[in-house]
């Protein structure tokens, strides 16, 4: 009997320490339709509430904490588009141990409530490569209804997590409640001015973030909307642990360093290196790195799966097949064999995640680069089109964790060392035949940096149809009836041995559509010769900070020959000057076009540049003024008028 009482006491003690909050959290017993403004009624849907609760529950001191997550949403649907957006619910099953509860209901405009039929909940596997989901359709949905969903799942314990609090529709109230109990924890919110407040849960202070009137995140041009959403990241540690951010980063640096910095060069790698530098001597670190990069990207294939062999150095060197993780070991072997000093960079795609050096979350450690400090250049091992140079455009501007060979580490923003790395130079010579039937354009072009990488990748790795489309882009994009009379390329090979050698194109095209008959005169659509241009004529308020793909520059010289017996009018449309001035007074972006007339020639010069890829959203009007200036030039036309 005494044993039974002792067991009962232990059971009560253990289970009482798991007084989970989710068991008492519930939706309103008697729901009513929420009042919304006339403005919100014009939206297809409005989020009335989006609330996410993360709850860590600790039991005995030697137990791993349990992790529960609760999601509660209420969405108002105002039209068919809104209904389609919300009437199917997907609940991700990644890391889910147990589904505790799922319920949903619809409240129509007359107050009728339709509850979810639990038999309608299905499980589907690997939806669009995003993993497994519970899925169900919402019944009884009409225009001006509200859809309410509330579910709780228990997940595998993880010390780290994140949650996005912003969607592609407006939300009246978005909340995140973080319950850590007696466990040590950290939490941080991004891209909001709202602060966490403390509320009592089971007698302890827990953190609640409330954000009202969250705007819809829209996919604006020159932005990174996925990475810009309001989000929360958090850490929670097992009983008795309190790990600092420095400890996390030290652990990463040591783990990465031990894997990617070779102590010894294996025989197979040395054989490869002998072949790589065969017949060459007195090589610079840059030349060595470039030869290695060309060799790896020519001879190895990166496979996207979790096969452990693809991370084994011996297997990779023998089979020339690797994971994107394992290929780093190959570079490490070759660089060590040639005595090239390098550092490993761990970072993230800036279009998906903004790397934060002050808060460790494994989810942002997605991309690896190799940095050559003596050259101030990068190798991108998993980017087949890239060669030794500046960082890939999807990494540019993010922070990175830099790990030297001593496994120490530092953080740095990944910027371009060469501000003119990516640029385009175009020279055109334009003539019009005597009867004004067609225009002939002889053009020389040079593409540098990321422009060159993209061009070489398309022309060497794409399908015939894509190559055809790209050659159309390279020879007067947007000129509808053009005929390509000649076309040639230089430096088109994807493997390069010099730094930033330009990809060159020479072409001759003719077109009739650039000319328009105007009685005894002819209108020449001269602006169309620079190709289709981006436009920013957005009238709504800008949501996202401005981020271009990469800094770039354009320099054009366009020579137009004036046909004999004709004068020219309307040249003032060729004079455009728009600039974006930075805080220091420097021009960070500019579009400037001008002309001069020399005898029977009009010489048009254009300079357009963007010295950085990041611009202040507070000066959005200035930025789009520069972008739209190029579009305005694209619409420019001049008049040839008979002089007799």
């Amino acid at each position: 009997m005494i044993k039974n009482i002792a067991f009962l006491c232990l059971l009560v003690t253990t289970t009482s320490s798991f007084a989970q909050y989710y068991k008492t959290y519930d939706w309103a017993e008697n729901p009513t339709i929420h009042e919304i403004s006339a403005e919100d009624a014009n939206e297809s849907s409005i989020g009335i509430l989006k609330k996410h609760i993360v709850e860590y529950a600790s039991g005995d001191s030697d137990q791993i904490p349990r992790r529960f997550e609760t999601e509660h949403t209420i969405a108002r649907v105002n039209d068919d588009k809104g209904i389609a957006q919300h009437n199917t619910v997907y609940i991700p099953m990644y890391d889910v141990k147990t589904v505790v509860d799922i319920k949903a209901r619809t409240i129509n405009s007359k107050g009728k409530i339709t509850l979810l039929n639990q038999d309608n909940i299905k499980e589907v596997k690997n939806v669009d490569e995003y993993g497994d989901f519970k899925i169900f359709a919402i019944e009884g949905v009409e225009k001006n209804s509200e859809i309410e969903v509330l579910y709780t799942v228990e997940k595998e314990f993880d010390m780290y997590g994140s949650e996005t609090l912003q969607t592609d529709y407006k939300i009246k109230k978005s909340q995140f409640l973080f319950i850590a109990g007696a466990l040590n924890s950290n939490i941080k919110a991004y891209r909001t001015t709202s602060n966490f407040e403390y509320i009592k849960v089971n007698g302890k202070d827990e953190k609640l973030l409330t954000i009202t009137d969250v705007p819809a995140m829209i996919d604006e041009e020159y932005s990174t909307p996925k990475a810009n959403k309001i989000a929360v990241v958090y850490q929670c540690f097992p009983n008795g642990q309190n790990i600092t951010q420095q400890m996390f980063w030290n652990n990463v640096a040591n783990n990465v360093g031990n894997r990617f910095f070779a102590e010894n060069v294996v025989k197979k790698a040395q054989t490869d290196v002998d072949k790589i530098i065969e017949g060459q001597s007195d090589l610079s670190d840059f030349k060595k790195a470039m030869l290695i990069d060309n060799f790896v990207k020519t001879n190895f294939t990166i496979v996207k799966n979790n096969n452990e062999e693809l991370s084994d150095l011996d297997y990779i060197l023998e089979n020339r097949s690797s994971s994107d993780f394992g290929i780093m070991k190959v570079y490490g072997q070759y660089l060590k064999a040639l005595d090239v000093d390098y550092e490993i960079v761990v970072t993230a795609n800036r279009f998906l995640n903004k790397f934060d050096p002050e808060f460790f979350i494994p989810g942002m450690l997605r991309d690896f680069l190799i940095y050559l400090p003596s050259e101030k250049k990068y190798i991108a091992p998993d980017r087949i089109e890239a060669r030794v140079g500046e960082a890939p455009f999807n990494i540019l501007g993010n922070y990175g964790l830099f790990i030297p060979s001593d496994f120490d580490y530092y953080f740095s923003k990944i910027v371009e060392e060469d501000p003119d790395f990516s640029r385009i130079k175009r020279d055109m010579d334009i003539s019009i035949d005597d009867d004004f039937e067609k225009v002939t354009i002889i053009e020389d072009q040079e593409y540098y940096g990321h422009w060159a990488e993209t061009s070489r990748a398309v022309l060497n790795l794409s399908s015939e149809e894509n190559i055809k489309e790209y050659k159309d882009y390279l020879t007067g994009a947007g000129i509808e009836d053009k005929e390509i009379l000649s076309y040639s390329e230089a430096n088109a090979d994807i493997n390069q041995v010099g730094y930033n050698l330009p990809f060159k194109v020479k072409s001759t095209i003719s077109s009739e559509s650039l000319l328009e008959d105007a009685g005894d005169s002819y209108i020449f659509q001269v602006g169309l010769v620079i190709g289709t241009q981006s436009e920013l004529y957005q009238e709504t308020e800008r949501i996202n900070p401005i981020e271009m793909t990469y800094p770039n520059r354009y320099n054009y010289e366009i020579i137009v020959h004036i046909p004999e017996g004709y004068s020219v009018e309307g040249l003032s449309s060729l004079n455009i000057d728009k600039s974006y001035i930075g805080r220091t007074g420097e021009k960070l972006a500019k579009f400037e076009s001008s002309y001069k007339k020399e005898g029977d020639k009009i010489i048009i010069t254009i300079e357009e540049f963007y010295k950085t890829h990041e611009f202040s959203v507070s000066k959005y009007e200035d930025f789009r003024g520069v972008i739209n200036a190029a579009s305005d030039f694209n619409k420019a036309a001049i008049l040839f008028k008979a002089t007799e």
Side-chain angles (χ1 to χ4, degrees):
M1 181 66 181
I2 293 175
K3 290 182 179 179
N4 290 338
I5 292 174
F7 175 75
L8 180 61
C9 290
L10 177 62
L11 180 63
V12 170
T13 302
T14 302
T15 56
S16 65
S17 66
F18 287 96
Q20 292 97 350
Y21 176 77
Y22 75 84
K23 292 182 177 179
T24 61
Y25 182 82
D26 205 355
W27 58 23
E29 186 175 349
N30 298 303
T32 58
I33 290 288
H34 294 81
E35 294 290 333
I36 61 173
S37 67
E39 179 183 355
D40 289 344
N42 287 326
E43 299 286 337
S44 291
S45 66
I46 291 290
I48 304 297
L49 173 69
K50 175 178 169 57
K51 185 169 186 175
H52 195 83
I53 304 167
V54 173
E55 181 177 4
Y56 286 90
S58 59
D60 294 337
S61 60
D62 61 345
Q63 286 185 325
I64 294 175
R66 300 174 69 184
R67 177 168 63 121
F68 298 89
E69 293 195 24
T70 298
E71 177 82 1
H72 184 193
T73 60
I74 304 173
R76 175 71 168 267
V77 293
N78 298 322
D79 58 24
D80 290 337
K81 180 181 176 181
I83 292 172
Q85 188 174 15
H86 294 277
N87 69 349
T88 302
V89 177
Y90 293 83
I91 301 175
M93 290 291 105
Y94 179 74
D95 264 359
V96 172
K97 294 172 62 177
T98 306
V99 176
V100 178
D101 189 29
I102 298 174
K103 57 185 181 180
R105 63 188 177 187
T106 303
I107 307 99
N108 71 11
S109 58
K110 297 179 181 179
K112 180 183 176 182
I113 299 174
T114 303
L115 294 175
L116 170 68
N117 181 348
Q118 296 289 322
D119 293 337
N120 291 341
I121 302 175
K122 310 297 180 185
E123 184 158 350
V124 291
K125 300 292 185 181
N126 202 22
V127 179
D128 295 332
E129 304 298 324
Y130 286 103
D132 301 343
F133 286 80
K134 294 283 189 182
I135 182 174
F136 57 88
I138 300 292
E139 298 178 345
V141 185
E142 307 169 358
K143 293 179 183 179
N144 303 316
S145 297
E146 288 185 5
I147 297 171
E148 186 168 12
V149 178
L150 176 59
Y151 67 85
T152 298
V153 295
E154 181 178 1
K155 291 190 171 183
E156 299 286 351
F157 172 73
D158 196 330
M159 285 193 293
Y160 327 99
S162 62
E163 184 67 24
T164 300
L165 306 184
Q166 190 173 15
T167 66
D168 57 358
Y169 54 88
K170 292 181 180 180
I171 302 173
K172 302 303 292 180
K173 183 163 71 173
S174 187
Q175 290 187 311
F176 185 89
L177 175 58
F178 186 59
I179 302 171
L183 299 172
N184 290 319
S185 63
N186 299 305
I187 192 166
K188 185 174 183 178
Y190 295 97
R191 296 168 289 277
T192 178
T193 57
S194 298
N195 297 311
F196 286 95
E197 60 177 315
Y198 288 99
I199 65 168
K200 291 291 184 182
V201 176
N202 296 328
K204 296 187 180 296
D205 286 334
E206 307 294 0
K207 294 178 179 178
L208 174 68
L209 179 68
T210 300
I211 309 171
T212 58
D213 296 321
V214 180
M217 177 54 73
I218 59 178
D219 190 3
E220 298 170 307
E221 194 167 4
Y222 304 114
S223 67
T224 59
K226 288 185 179 179
N228 290 346
K229 289 181 179 178
I230 299 169
V232 168
V233 295
Y234 53 89
Q235 302 164 342
C236 191
F237 313 118
N239 289 311
Q241 293 188 16
N242 188 18
I243 305 172
T244 66
Q245 306 307 311
Q246 183 178 3
M247 291 166 66
F248 279 126
W249 295 121
N250 275 325
N251 185 58
V252 173
N254 280 282
N255 284 335
V256 170
N258 279 311
R259 285 172 169 81
F260 297 150
F261 287 101
E263 291 187 11
N264 301 295
V265 179
V266 300
K267 183 178 180 180
K268 176 63 175 173
Q270 186 62 57
T271 300
D272 286 343
V273 167
D274 292 342
K275 181 179 179 181
I276 290 170
I277 63 169
E278 186 176 6
Q280 303 187 66
S281 59
D282 298 324
L283 296 172
S284 66
D285 280 357
F286 172 81
K287 190 65 175 292
K288 292 175 184 177
M290 183 65 86
L291 291 171
I292 289 170
D293 206 17
N294 285 338
F295 181 85
V296 173
K297 288 170 180 172
T298 300
N299 293 281
F300 288 78
T301 301
I302 293 179
V303 181
K304 300 289 186 180
N305 68 40
N306 296 322
N307 186 339
E308 290 185 5
E309 287 183 319
L310 297 172
S311 294
D312 179 77
L313 179 63
D314 292 333
Y315 176 89
I316 296 168
L317 291 171
E318 182 64 32
N319 295 278
R320 303 307 204 206
S321 184
S322 171
S323 65
D324 52 5
F325 184 81
I327 203 67
M328 297 287 291
K329 297 180 180 180
V330 176
Y331 278 95
Q333 286 279 312
Y334 293 167
L335 290 167
K336 182 176 180 61
L338 290 177
D339 197 27
V340 178
D341 184 37
Y342 67 96
E343 298 174 357
I344 302 298
V345 185
V346 190
T347 183
N349 182 336
R350 66 182 166 101
F351 291 91
L352 302 177
N353 292 286
K354 302 300 185 185
F355 188 101
D356 182 5
E358 297 179 354
F359 201 100
F360 176 80
I361 291 292
M364 64 184 176
L365 307 179
R366 297 292 188 186
D367 289 83
F368 290 89
L369 300 175
I370 296 170
Y371 180 62
L372 308 175
S374 66
E375 307 296 317
K376 296 184 178 179
K377 293 178 177 61
Y378 294 88
I379 300 172
D382 64 341
R383 298 292 292 265
I384 193 168
E385 80 282 6
R387 292 299 182 268
V388 183
E390 301 290 354
F393 69 84
N394 64 320
I395 302 298
L396 188 66
N398 233 344
Y399 277 87
L401 175 72
F402 287 68
I403 307 168
S405 58
D406 61 3
F407 300 0
D408 196 2
Y409 70 87
Y410 64 95
F411 297 103
S412 179
K413 193 171 185 178
I414 300 169
V415 298
E416 287 194 344
E417 181 69 20
D418 179 0
D420 282 333
F421 180 66
S422 296
R423 61 191 188 275
I424 296 176
K425 183 176 181 295
R426 286 176 175 161
D427 293 330
M428 301 182 195
D429 189 274
I430 301 174
S431 58
I432 301 169
D433 66 359
D434 293 338
D435 55 6
F436 277 85
E437 287 295 323
K438 65 180 180 180
V439 174
T440 300
I441 304 172
I442 301 171
E443 182 173 19
D444 285 357
Q445 302 179 74
E446 294 180 357
Y447 292 79
Y448 295 82
H450 295 300
W451 291 111
E453 289 176 355
T454 299
S455 298
R456 291 177 179 125
V458 172
L459 296 173
N460 285 275
L461 305 173
S462 294
S463 66
E464 288 187 13
E465 183 61 30
N466 287 339
I467 292 172
K468 181 180 178 182
E469 291 179 3
Y470 198 71
K471 286 184 177 179
D472 176 71
Y473 160 76
L474 293 171
T475 54
I479 301 177
E480 296 176 357
D481 69 334
K482 72 183 175 198
E483 179 182 358
I484 301 176
L485 304 177
S486 68
Y487 175 89
S488 64
E489 303 163 354
N491 293 339
D493 192 273
I494 200 164
N495 285 332
Q496 297 292 311
V497 293
Y499 173 68
N500 204 10
L501 294 177
F503 165 69
K504 297 181 178 182
V505 176
K506 290 187 176 184
S507 63
T508 303
I509 67 170
S510 65
S511 168
E512 297 179 5
S513 65
L514 294 176
L515 291 169
E516 181 181 340
D517 194 338
D520 62 346
S521 303
Y522 294 90
I523 299 171
F524 173 37
Q525 305 289 341
V526 62
L528 292 178
V529 303
I530 69 169
T532 306
Q533 301 294 307
S534 298
E535 295 181 350
L536 281 179
Y537 293 111
Q538 173 182 327
E539 295 181 359
T540 57
E541 183 180 356
R542 177 80 180 190
I543 299 294
N544 289 283
I546 302 163
E547 290 194 42
M548 302 191 75
T549 308
Y550 43 81
N552 57 89
R553 175 186 293 273
Y554 310 82
N555 291 99
Y556 299 173
E557 182 178 85
I558 304 168
I559 298 175
V560 180
H561 297 272
I562 304 171
E564 187 176 353
Y566 284 83
S567 62
V568 62
E569 297 179 1
L571 293 175
S572 61
S573 66
L574 305 177
N575 289 326
I576 300 175
D577 189 358
K578 293 288 185 180
S579 298
Y580 177 108
I581 309 298
R583 292 179 180 177
T584 63
E586 180 186 8
K587 286 186 179 180
L588 297 180
K590 181 183 79 167
F591 181 95
E592 183 177 2
S593 61
S594 61
Y595 76 93
K596 60 182 178 180
K597 191 167 172 291
E598 293 183 354
D600 65 348
K601 294 188 294 187
I602 305 164
I603 302 173
I604 305 166
T605 57
I606 300 174
E607 182 179 40
E608 182 180 6
F609 61 72
Y610 304 87
K611 292 185 177 181
T612 176
H613 72 282
E614 297 174 303
F615 296 87
S616 172
V617 71
S618 66
K619 299 190 69 174
Y620 175 65
E621 291 301 320
D622 291 348
F623 175 79
R624 76 172 184 163
V626 176
I627 293 291
N628 288 340
S631 178
D632 292 341
F633 184 90
N634 188 237
K635 301 177 180 68
I638 57 178
L639 182 72
F640 290 114
K641 191 171 184 179
T643 56
E644 297 178 0

